[in-house]
Amino acid sequence: MSTPVLAPECVASLRAALASQGYAYLSAFSPDRTGLALLALAGSFGSVYLPPDVDPAHPVLESHPAADASLLAPFDRPEAIGWHNDFSTHADRPALSLAYLARPDPLGPEHGAWRVASCDRVLDQLRATRDGREVIRFLRETDLPYSFTGDGAPSFFRALEPRGSPPGRLGMRLYGRAMRDGARLAYGTIPEEIERAVKAVEGAANQVGHVLAAPAGALLVTDNWHSLHDRLPQCVDPKLSLRCSLLCFVEALHQPLALPNP
Ligand SMILES: [Fe+2]
């Protein structure tokens, strides 16, 4: 099968959206359900990440919603994932996540839709109040425990750190479940200041975020330092033809994302 050719202007407009808001969305990216167009797009951004146990010749994950899906596969579980960016528990995080809707949720557009929020806007929202500014200070200055598996020793990171341009711009590492599980493992309980900070970021994302419909053929690309995303509750009735998304990741960008010259 030949590699799909992507229009340069399509890639350029996605890069511009990623640079300015931390995510890019197309309601009709491609009819290609094989994942080849998605991989071609990923390859145009940078080196494609190879997840463990995935065919290196086709490094695409396919979602299979199920009532009993593992907590380690949040994209397969029925409930909303919650605001997060991907690989929040990895020291070295793939730069971009790409999600493509091969098949929509059978219960209609309010199921399985994406939510997205620009971290710049989330931080602006927090900076508007004294409590929010205190949360930013806490998240910048405190090493916090994270755990994706909810087991073993947590990893410690700052939830906010300088990333990208212009200088001083903050990148975010956030996943409420992983931060709460990390806190339980590290301290035996969730300290009030961690719970308050996670809730404040999630609340700000609720204020500035958007719901994006996920029809067949839709694409969402997220910058893992500069946006948060979520997937709303999805149908897991095995008698129905369930939502299917294809996921792949860009490990490192060929070129930093930058706004085009005015
Ligand atoms: Fe995700």
Side-chain angles (χ1 to χ4, degrees):
M1 209 175 291
S2 61
T3 302
V5 177
L6 300 169
E9 58 273 19
C10 168
V11 176
S13 72
L14 292 171
R15 284 184 66 89
L18 281 162
S20 63
Q21 60 191 14
Y23 63 88
Y25 168 74
L26 291 174
S27 60
F29 165 61
S30 166
D32 170 59
R33 308 283 188 261
T34 66
L36 289 176
L38 188 69
L39 280 172
L41 178 63
S44 74
F45 287 128
S47 54
V48 177
Y49 174 70
L50 296 184
D53 306 323
V54 168
D55 177 4
H58 193 72
V60 173
L61 300 178
E62 188 176 311
S63 70
H64 297 281
D68 61 352
S70 162
L71 282 171
L72 305 186
F75 45 83
D76 283 341
R77 293 186 55 84
E79 70 275 11
I81 298 173
W83 288 113
H84 68 287
N85 33 51
D86 291 341
F87 304 100
S88 60
T89 59
H90 291 221
D92 294 316
R93 310 172 68 194
L96 303 179
S97 296
L98 289 79
Y100 171 80
L101 243 291
R103 192 167 53 238
D105 194 286
L107 297 185
E110 68 275 24
H111 288 79
W114 292 306
R115 293 201 299 166
V116 288
S118 161
C119 289
D120 292 335
R121 300 289 80 75
V122 170
L123 291 164
D124 286 345
Q125 186 78 5
L126 290 170
R127 288 186 188 106
T129 67
R130 203 169 86 169
D131 285 353
R133 292 191 290 277
E134 180 55 28
V135 164
I136 290 176
R137 188 200 59 75
F138 173 72
L139 294 176
R140 284 195 70 169
E141 297 179 0
T142 315
D143 289 327
L144 297 176
Y146 290 70
S147 173
F148 184 66
T149 60
D151 206 9
S155 302
F156 284 77
F157 302 106
R158 302 274 168 100
L160 293 174
E161 59 177 271
R163 281 272 163 177
S165 62
R169 188 184 188 195
L170 294 175
M172 190 179 290
R173 182 190 283 276
L174 187 115
Y175 183 11
R177 196 194 85 196
M179 296 171 81
R180 292 180 175 107
D181 282 348
R184 276 190 209 99
L185 288 169
Y187 311 122
T189 184
I190 305 173
E192 198 181 311
E193 53 190 352
I194 292 182
E195 182 62 33
R196 188 167 58 234
V198 170
K199 279 214 174 86
V201 174
E202 292 172 338
N206 288 340
Q207 297 286 316
V208 302
H210 305 279
V211 176
L212 300 174
L219 170 79
L220 177 64
V221 186
T222 51
D223 178 323
N224 281 318
W225 286 106
H226 295 295
S227 64
L228 296 168
H229 64 274
D230 185 15
R231 189 261 308 135
L232 294 179
Q234 62 182 346
C235 176
V236 291
D237 182 344
K239 297 190 290 300
L240 298 176
S241 180
L242 296 176
R243 183 184 191 274
C244 176
S245 63
L246 307 181
L247 309 168
C248 73
F249 311 96
V250 173
E251 185 155 33
L253 296 166
H254 293 316
Q255 298 170 334
L257 295 165
L259 290 170
N261 290 327

